[in-house]
Amino acid sequence: MANHSLVFADANLDLAEQPLVIGQEFPDVETCRRSLKDIAIAMHFDLRIVKSDRSRFIAKCSKEGCPWRVHVAKCPGVPTFTIRTLHGEHTCEGVQNLHHQQASVGWVARSVEAHIRDNPQYKPREILQDIRDQHGVAVSYMQAWRGKERSMAALHGTFEEGYRLLPAFCEQIRKTNPGSISSVVAAGQENCFQRLFISYRASIYGFINACRPLLELDRAHLKGKYLGTLLCAAAVDADDALFPLAIAVVDTESDENWMWFLSELRKLLGVNTDNMPRLTILSEREQGMVEAVETHFPSAFHGFCLRYVSENFRDTFKNTKLVNIFWNAVYALTAAEFESKISEMIEISQDVIPWFQRYPPQLWAVAYFEGVRYGHFTLGVTELLYNWALECHELPVVQMMEHIRQQMTSWFNDRRDMGMRWTSILVPSAEKRILEAIADAHCYQVLRANEVEFEIVSTERTNIVDIRSRVCSCRRWQLYGLPCAHAAAALISCGHNAHLFAEPCFNVQSYRLTYSQMINPIPDKSQWREQGEGAEGGGAKFDIVIRPPKTRRPPGRPKKKVLRVENFKRPKRIVQCGRCHMLGHSQKKCSMPI
């Protein structure tokens, strides 16, 4: 071997500033080939390979008569290659346009790998523009697309490998997070993927022991190579943040798959549902969801997502005044108030009567819905699933579930730390509502009937409060789980702390309990088989070969459904003063003399 120092070519270096030299070495012939391609692109000349085998690599400039030529040969006894001869001067004008023969799909994949590692959403159109700006080379959209696909497969594995790894992945979840539920189901003689269900013990523990008995159900359609649907059941923590309880991936959305998902959810909760208050489940109430909830949670209250109902109402009638009255009817706390709003709507249009027969108020109106929604009218889980589908549709199924697990781990850690810093009795969102109720309580006159019953008198109406049963005739205390202004007035009058009469799920202690368990990391996939074989029965489970589902993404650009953030926000409620009956301010802020 030559006495010169070993110099390996690095494609990340500025190749134009570091020209080739005789004696330069490469770790293997593939690195040599790639490095020379990179140099050709950087120096804007076309390379023609004369000879390439296990012992040598000879290349020249493709322009006829140009003397540029390099001969690289294998060093004896070691795998490295070294430049033996080099004619480094060009007499040709080089490549005069933006198209370059060396800018292959493989070169594109290597060029964008670092960017794609940080951003799987890197679009082919962005790739071809960045390559043009950085390298002065034009590649086609399909080259950019194929380069990205190849780079994604190198970084994350193929979609097919993702399905094959699912049994081992589920095994690792159960090993690293004991008490978690993770299972995969294949169908047919070919073992095609059908269903995947995952729920971490930390989520199960937090929901059963500290969350409100409220679950949101929804799905998002995946747009990866094999399509599929992401299902989720999510609770809401004490501070109104989403708390994913169970996540599933199914080959297609169907009544059968919803029935299976709710069945798994029922098994997960098991006997604990007997000790919990009756569940309230919110969804878009599609037929498959309704039948599955009725079968597996027959005692649960299953209500409509108000976004779904209100959009249907708006699209049906296309009348702004009707829509505003509709929302007032939604928020009405009593049957009398609700019926008054319905009468107003009927006066505008008789067509609302058959609409109410299709969408019974018992399933969405606050005045009639029997479950406790705690003020949640729309599905927050819809936006969460949409974001997950958007972030992960480029990833194989295992990487997608790992992305979700890592995000949940981050939420648990951040919220656990945040909860430990709070010094109040209630979480901040509940604390704010209680303080508002206490401030409003000063407007009322309190008449005590006995030890537990109070009559709260205002210019607007009289309400009855029972502090033992924790009910108010305005129904706000029962519906939201926090003392209303009438209840606060009654509690203050007899020396009680209103904060102590909130539902236990709003306590800081409950919040800390919600996030008290850890979601443990999953080892790298290179260790799964080795660890699985050491476990009892583990090796046999890994022998199951799960193939992709039969569904494939059709050719062409998929239709994009824009999910606007404002769709998740309910219209602002117009406040009406109880003293002067004008809109835009409350009785507390009324300037009219009494």
Side-chain angles (χ1 to χ4, degrees):
M1 186 184 294
N3 292 327
H4 54 265
S5 61
L6 184 67
V7 181
F8 288 135
D10 188 339
N12 294 323
L13 298 175
D14 187 344
L15 298 166
E17 295 179 4
Q18 297 199 5
L20 295 171
V21 293
I22 293 176
Q24 183 173 341
E25 294 192 356
F26 305 91
D28 50 56
V29 72
E30 186 59 35
T31 304
C32 168
R33 195 180 290 117
R34 290 177 178 177
S35 299
L36 289 171
K37 279 189 176 185
D38 291 338
I39 290 170
I41 290 171
M43 301 296 290
H44 299 287
F45 71 91
D46 268 335
L47 197 69
R48 185 162 73 85
I49 298 172
V50 178
K51 183 76 72 174
S52 178
D53 55 32
R54 293 182 180 181
S55 60
R56 58 187 168 166
F57 182 84
I58 303 170
K60 58 181 282 189
C61 178
S62 66
K63 295 289 184 180
E64 195 65 39
C66 182
W68 190 95
R69 184 183 180 92
V70 64
H71 179 193
V72 185
K74 187 177 184 299
C75 299
V78 290
T80 56
F81 280 66
T82 183
I83 296 178
R84 293 289 174 82
T85 59
L86 174 67
H87 298 285
E89 296 296 325
H90 283 276
T91 58
C92 66
E93 71 279 7
V95 178
Q96 296 298 300
N97 55 48
L98 294 174
H99 299 283
H100 204 293
Q101 288 183 4
Q102 268 66 53
S104 62
V105 170
W107 178 81
V108 171
R110 295 197 307 276
S111 300
V112 301
E113 186 171 310
H115 198 140
I116 285 176
R117 184 183 290 110
D118 299 330
N119 177 26
Q121 302 303 311
Y122 197 23
K123 294 180 172 58
R125 196 170 298 282
E126 296 169 341
I127 290 172
L128 62 88
Q129 186 61 53
D130 289 348
I131 285 177
R132 183 166 184 159
D133 294 343
Q134 295 168 19
H135 301 282
V137 174
V139 296
S140 69
Y141 182 90
M142 285 310 297
Q143 275 181 295
W145 185 85
R146 289 191 180 105
K148 179 184 175 179
E149 289 285 294
R150 190 174 295 186
S151 185
M152 289 288 290
L155 288 169
H156 303 293
T158 63
F159 281 90
E160 293 77 11
E161 183 190 25
Y163 291 108
R164 286 199 304 271
L165 287 172
L166 279 176
F169 178 64
C170 290
E171 178 74 9
Q172 287 300 316
I173 289 175
R174 294 191 296 270
K175 283 182 65 178
T176 56
N177 292 267
S180 298
I181 311 295
S182 60
S183 61
V184 59
V185 179
Q189 293 182 341
E190 297 179 26
N191 277 341
C192 292
F193 171 81
Q194 188 179 20
R195 299 162 178 157
L196 170 70
F197 183 92
I198 293 175
S199 181
Y200 294 97
R201 179 185 178 274
S203 295
I204 300 169
Y205 181 90
F207 176 71
I208 289 172
N209 290 285
C211 279
R212 316 170 207 188
L214 175 70
L215 280 178
E216 298 182 1
L217 295 181
D218 208 354
R219 78 280 184 257
H221 298 294
L222 301 171
K223 292 182 171 60
K225 182 176 180 180
Y226 292 100
L227 301 177
T229 304
L230 190 63
L231 311 180
C232 185
V236 183
D237 71 19
D239 206 39
D240 289 329
L242 273 177
F243 184 84
L245 173 61
I247 302 145
V249 179
V250 293
D251 55 352
T252 183
E253 185 186 10
S254 64
D255 294 355
E256 183 186 358
N257 278 336
W258 273 115
M259 191 67 73
W260 164 81
F261 182 65
L262 269 295
S263 169
E264 294 298 304
L265 199 60
R266 172 66 190 176
K267 288 182 210 170
L268 174 156
L269 297 176
V271 295
N272 295 290
T273 50
D274 299 332
N275 304 322
M276 292 170 61
R278 288 175 71 179
L279 274 176
T280 295
I281 295 175
L282 304 179
S283 74
E284 291 184 358
R285 282 188 61 93
E286 292 182 347
Q287 188 60 36
M289 295 181 185
V290 172
E291 291 178 2
V293 170
E294 288 176 353
T295 300
H296 297 291
F297 294 91
S299 64
F301 304 106
H302 189 188
F304 268 115
C305 161
L306 263 296
R307 180 176 60 86
Y308 172 79
V309 173
S310 65
E311 284 179 356
N312 185 286
F313 187 90
R314 181 196 64 200
D315 295 342
T316 301
F317 297 105
K318 296 180 174 61
N319 183 313
T320 304
K321 186 175 181 182
L322 264 181
V323 171
N324 287 335
I325 300 172
F326 169 82
W327 276 104
N328 287 331
V330 167
Y331 298 135
L333 297 177
T334 63
E337 192 180 346
F338 178 85
E339 295 300 333
S340 168
K341 299 300 177 186
I342 297 300
S343 298
E344 286 183 45
M345 286 191 273
I346 292 173
E347 286 178 14
I348 297 172
S349 172
Q350 290 283 326
D351 293 337
V352 299
I353 297 173
W355 188 92
F356 283 121
Q357 291 171 347
R358 291 198 307 273
Y359 297 93
Q362 291 82 358
L363 299 177
W364 51 267
V366 173
Y368 289 113
F369 184 64
E370 295 182 36
V372 181
R373 302 173 75 121
Y374 297 96
H376 285 263
F377 296 96
T378 59
L379 296 177
V381 71
T382 301
E383 188 173 4
L384 174 67
L385 282 171
Y386 177 78
N387 289 333
W388 277 346
L390 199 64
E391 293 164 5
C392 302
H393 79 273
E394 302 273 7
L395 300 175
V397 63
V398 165
Q399 275 71 24
M400 177 174 70
M401 300 312 291
E402 264 297 271
H403 173 87
I404 292 172
R405 184 196 61 79
Q406 289 165 6
Q407 195 171 84
M408 287 177 60
T409 301
S410 176
W411 291 341
F412 267 64
N413 292 341
D414 293 346
R415 294 170 188 177
R416 188 184 302 113
D417 293 342
M418 184 169 60
M420 294 308 294
R421 292 195 296 270
W422 291 337
T423 56
S424 55
I425 296 173
L426 304 179
V427 298
S429 59
E431 187 80 16
K432 179 184 176 184
R433 292 197 288 269
I434 283 280
L435 292 176
E436 289 172 352
I438 291 171
D440 290 343
H442 298 299
C443 299
Y444 302 126
Q445 179 186 3
V446 180
L447 302 176
R448 186 165 188 170
N450 52 50
E451 287 187 359
V452 296
E453 289 187 319
F454 297 80
E455 195 175 348
I456 311 301
V457 182
S458 69
T459 54
E460 190 178 87
R461 65 171 64 89
T462 298
N463 287 283
I464 307 300
V465 173
D466 185 328
I467 62 173
R468 178 186 292 163
S469 303
R470 301 192 178 192
V471 297
C472 175
S473 58
C474 80
R475 299 185 69 238
R476 188 172 292 274
W477 194 357
Q478 303 92 290
L479 292 170
Y480 291 87
L482 295 166
C484 58
H486 312 116
L491 292 166
I492 292 168
S493 72
C494 56
H496 287 302
N497 183 347
H499 293 75
L500 300 178
F501 284 78
E503 288 287 329
C505 62
F506 292 106
N507 295 340
V508 168
Q509 289 299 328
S510 292
Y511 185 88
R512 291 172 180 169
L513 191 62
T514 304
Y515 296 102
S516 61
Q517 304 298 303
M518 305 282 287
I519 298 179
N520 297 320
I522 308 295
D524 183 75
K525 64 183 179 183
S526 61
Q527 303 175 44
W528 293 355
R529 178 170 289 278
E530 181 181 312
Q531 292 183 357
E533 287 169 346
E536 184 180 344
K541 291 179 182 177
F542 292 178
D543 290 337
I544 299 171
V545 178
I546 293 185
R547 292 181 171 82
K550 296 291 186 182
T551 52
R552 287 289 297 269
R553 183 175 57 200
R557 185 182 296 276
K559 292 180 180 179
K560 180 182 284 188
K561 179 185 176 184
V562 178
L563 202 61
R564 302 186 185 281
V565 175
E566 57 263 28
N567 286 349
F568 296 105
K569 298 177 181 176
R570 64 185 184 221
K572 188 173 181 181
R573 188 179 183 183
I574 300 172
V575 179
Q576 184 175 20
C577 178
R579 182 184 300 156
C580 68
H581 303 292
M582 298 294 288
L583 300 177
H585 65 272
S586 64
Q587 179 178 328
K588 183 177 70 171
K589 297 179 180 178
C590 185
S591 57
M592 180 176 285
I594 298 176

